[in-house]
Amino acid sequence: MKKYFSLLMVIVALLLTACGGEEVSHSEDYGLENISFPLEETVTLKFMTSSSPMAPDDPNEKLIYQRLEEETGVHIDWLNFTGETFDERRNLALATGEMPDAIKNAAFSDYELLNYANDGAIIPLNDLIDQHMPNLQAILEHSPEYKAMMTAPDGNIYAFPWIEELGEGRGSIHSVDNFPWINVDWLEELGLDMPQTTEELKEVLIAFRDNDPAGDGQTIPMSFIINDGGQDPGFLFGAFGYGDNWDHTVVTNNHEVLLTSMQEGYKDAIHFMNELYDEQLIDIEAFEHDWPTYVAKGQEGRYGLYFTWDKGNITGMGDDYDLMNPLEGPDGQINVPRTNGMGFDRSRMVITSANENLELTAKWIDQLYDPLQSVQNNWGTYGDDELQNIFEYDEEHEMLRHLPLDGAAPVELREKTSVGGPLAILDKYYGDVTTMPDDAAWRLNLMDEVMVPYMQADNIFPNVFFDNDELDRLSTIEADLIPYIHRKKAEWITNGNADAEWDEYLQELDRLGVQEWLQIKQDGYDRSHE
């Protein structure tokens, strides 16, 4: 009721503002044409955005935006929100017509993007890109696959993307998100070797349990956050078959789209996880705890094995934890499941139909795609006298060089100083426009040495732009299908019974529409490879 009342009051306030003729939410028409920066006189555009709770409430306090204003002569009047509040205010603005000029860090789903385009709330961008955005054009000419991913089924582009290349193919930094980090200090202390098989892992975890190297009963042999992307233990499932990933979708080397959660190997992996649970080797909070709790226990040094993207965010960058190699399963298989992630987000910024300064807005957004600007938007900047700097600027070579993190968590530092939004960082920038971040170079090296040799899949499921009918069916099916898969996964790990309930489970997946879901996915995959 509180949430409903709050939303109602916002609607009333917006309506009163509109009826009272007070200041509108978008900028006046400045009548500017053939624009070049910096402008002779400063003008204002009104944008809505979202940002991290760790960032300033006013985005203009960030040095990146201050420099942009100086370079362009465009002042941005920001309406800034965090968390769920942003989603509510963004949708409300589009529904009431009290729209800003543009929405940055928009985070629309494809379904929302197409619906707002059909409603006329956001505009097609094709002509603006062709006429006013040379930086973005250069990127799309170099990498035309991104233009294909930006383009809706009706041929229009409705949003500006975020692009971050770090490695390619199997060696992309996005190929595996749930790295397994094992406590090598404990292995050495207990005279144990790095496990090579699933059975050896079980023996290692039992040794952690029995010897309690954390002391006072604080040892947690293995922890994770179930069904939580990089924190999920699906990496272990690769020893039993196709494995599992965050969207439970894999593509075989024969280009067949499969649901991981209905494969025989998935059931075998669940059975193995249940064995670990019965041996009290799994954190009892792994099925309910949140990120802060997960991090807190890691910082206390309680984990024998845990899963996440970067150990620096949980246990620090010390030598006490190292990346565990892929494990051989009972049938001799070693397989690293690939995720379907890539450094591409389709909807980082949209322009609304209320905007009366389209050329100005397009040219301002194009500045975000300048290579040096994109690098800063993504990671942070240089020359900040108050906050820790990500870069130093090499004036001689016109290049941004990453500075040491000095123990700072990369995620926190990035969220305080970067601005996100539409940008592009191509692999060709490294060594020319910028250095590669130390943590990314380190992770790519680990990927290449430890993971890539054991990746069996040649393909991933691409970033398909489905049409509205397909999206409607996918979302309708997934509303019941995915929660059911997640619930059974947790139930079977804790209670067993996967073997006894497997046939009934497959029948329920069929009843929930899995075959139609697979067909839509297959059709989308096939279109993307035409």
Side-chain angles (χ1 to χ4, degrees):
M1 287 299 295
K2 288 181 179 179
K3 185 175 181 181
Y4 173 80
F5 182 73
S6 175
L7 186 60
L8 182 62
M9 292 302 293
V10 171
I11 294 173
V12 170
L14 286 171
L15 291 174
L16 288 174
T17 298
C19 295
E22 297 179 19
E23 185 180 2
V24 296
S25 56
H26 57 273
S27 299
E28 64 181 276
D29 182 359
Y30 298 115
L32 298 175
E33 296 180 357
N34 301 317
I35 296 163
S36 61
F37 293 135
L39 301 176
E40 293 182 3
E41 295 183 7
T42 300
V43 298
T44 296
L45 292 174
K46 298 183 179 182
F47 293 167
M48 179 181 288
T49 192
S50 65
S51 62
S52 167
M54 289 184 278
D57 291 336
D58 180 2
N60 283 323
E61 293 182 20
K62 289 189 174 183
L63 184 56
I64 289 175
Y65 284 135
Q66 292 171 8
R67 286 191 177 128
L68 265 174
E69 180 168 341
E70 182 178 344
E71 292 164 2
T72 63
V74 179
H75 174 76
I76 306 299
D77 185 359
W78 294 103
L79 189 59
N80 180 42
F81 301 98
T82 59
E84 292 182 1
T85 304
F86 169 72
D87 294 342
E88 293 172 0
R89 293 298 297 268
R90 176 201 67 184
N91 295 342
L92 185 62
L94 295 173
T96 61
E98 286 297 306
M99 296 182 288
D101 295 308
I103 303 175
K104 186 170 179 284
N105 291 326
F108 286 121
S109 68
D110 288 349
Y111 191 82
E112 292 171 321
L113 202 62
L114 291 177
N115 279 344
Y116 284 123
N118 290 338
D119 290 343
I122 61 176
I123 65 170
L125 307 171
N126 307 48
D127 291 344
L128 292 177
I129 294 172
D130 291 341
Q131 297 170 14
H132 304 302
M133 305 188 72
N135 288 325
L136 180 53
Q137 285 181 53
I139 292 159
L140 301 182
E141 288 170 6
H142 178 270
S143 304
E145 65 272 18
Y146 293 124
K147 185 171 184 179
M149 287 188 282
M150 291 163 61
T151 304
D154 65 3
N156 285 319
I157 295 171
Y158 293 111
F160 298 108
W162 167 89
I163 300 168
E164 180 193 69
E165 293 182 348
L166 280 165
E168 59 183 357
R170 294 183 182 188
S172 166
I173 202 167
H174 306 281
S175 283
V176 182
D177 53 4
N178 51 352
F179 269 16
W181 301 101
I182 192 166
N183 194 321
V184 289
D185 278 359
W186 290 2
L187 291 178
E188 182 178 358
E189 178 184 335
L190 299 176
L192 302 169
D193 294 326
M194 178 75 76
Q196 303 297 320
T197 69
T198 52
E199 280 304 306
E200 289 179 8
L201 173 62
K202 183 177 178 180
E203 293 169 4
V204 164
L205 297 179
I206 288 173
F208 289 166
R209 179 198 67 192
D210 292 346
N211 290 277
D212 186 23
D216 297 323
Q218 294 299 300
T219 298
I220 300 172
M222 181 169 77
S223 190
F224 49 81
I225 304 178
I226 196 72
N227 300 316
D228 187 52
Q231 287 62 245
D232 184 82
F235 175 86
L236 299 178
F237 287 37
F240 299 88
Y242 289 106
D244 196 18
N245 53 32
W246 60 269
D247 62 350
H248 315 294
T249 307
V250 294
V251 180
T252 72
N253 292 345
N254 293 322
H255 302 286
E256 181 184 3
V257 179
L258 300 177
L259 177 72
T260 59
S261 312
M262 60 189 300
Q263 308 305 312
E264 282 290 324
Y266 178 87
K267 179 182 67 174
D268 297 335
I270 291 286
H271 180 71
F272 171 70
M273 295 293 292
N274 176 246
E275 289 180 358
L276 301 184
Y277 187 84
D278 285 347
E279 287 282 354
Q280 299 181 344
L281 305 176
I282 292 177
D283 188 347
I284 59 172
E285 291 187 302
F287 305 91
E288 60 186 25
H289 62 194
D290 56 14
W291 172 257
T293 305
Y294 192 56
V295 171
K297 290 188 291 187
Q299 291 177 342
E300 292 168 359
R302 299 178 61 190
Y303 295 148
L305 174 69
Y306 71 96
F307 302 84
T308 199
W309 176 273
D310 185 342
K311 69 176 182 177
N313 294 319
I314 294 185
T315 53
M317 293 301 294
D319 296 331
D320 47 346
Y321 286 85
D322 203 355
L323 182 62
M324 185 180 74
N325 48 266
L327 301 176
E328 180 182 318
D331 295 332
Q333 170 170 293
I334 305 177
N335 177 34
V336 173
R338 294 175 66 182
T339 72
N340 297 306
M342 61 182 304
F344 179 83
D345 181 348
R346 195 160 14 244
S347 62
R348 280 300 177 98
M349 191 163 187
V350 297
I351 297 177
T352 75
S353 56
N355 191 309
E356 298 180 284
N357 299 280
L358 295 180
E359 179 184 338
L360 174 63
T361 303
K363 288 185 173 179
W364 187 90
I365 294 171
D366 194 51
Q367 299 306 300
L368 306 181
Y369 286 104
D370 174 83
L372 281 170
Q373 188 65 52
S374 280
V375 169
Q376 295 174 74
N377 293 350
N378 199 48
W379 284 306
T381 192
Y382 65 95
D384 196 318
D385 295 330
E386 297 181 6
L387 297 174
Q388 182 175 344
N389 289 289
I390 293 285
F391 297 106
E392 62 179 358
Y393 183 57
D394 181 342
E395 292 188 12
E396 180 181 354
H397 298 94
E398 297 182 337
M399 181 178 178
L400 292 164
R401 299 186 183 277
H402 279 85
L403 293 168
L405 291 172
D406 294 331
V411 170
E412 291 186 11
L413 185 55
R414 185 171 176 172
E415 291 190 357
K416 287 178 182 177
T417 59
S418 66
V419 300
L423 58 88
I425 300 174
L426 306 182
D427 275 332
K428 70 173 185 174
Y429 292 0
Y430 300 116
D432 182 22
V433 177
T434 184
T435 55
M436 185 175 289
D438 288 344
D439 57 320
W442 166 75
R443 195 177 194 280
L444 282 170
N445 184 60
L446 286 175
M447 181 80 72
D448 185 59
E449 290 183 355
V450 182
M451 299 296 175
V452 171
Y454 299 103
M455 291 180 183
Q456 296 185 12
D458 293 333
N459 311 297
I460 63 171
F461 190 82
N463 198 321
V464 177
F465 206 147
F466 292 103
D467 64 33
N468 253 336
D469 291 339
E470 291 171 322
L471 289 169
D472 184 63
R473 289 304 300 148
L474 286 172
S475 63
T476 299
I477 293 169
E478 289 173 355
D480 293 321
L481 180 70
I482 301 304
Y484 178 69
I485 289 170
H486 287 176
R487 176 168 62 83
K488 295 306 293 184
K489 181 179 179 181
E491 283 182 7
W492 283 339
I493 291 175
T494 56
N495 301 326
N497 299 323
D499 286 330
E501 298 177 4
W502 186 252
D503 289 343
E504 179 184 348
Y505 168 76
L506 293 180
Q507 291 172 10
E508 182 64 8
L509 294 182
D510 282 341
R511 189 189 72 79
L512 294 174
V514 71
Q515 298 305 326
E516 181 184 358
W517 183 86
L518 284 168
Q519 188 60 58
I520 295 171
K521 289 273 194 170
Q522 187 70 58
D523 291 344
Y525 177 85
D526 293 343
R527 287 199 304 271
S528 72
H529 280 70
E530 290 177 353

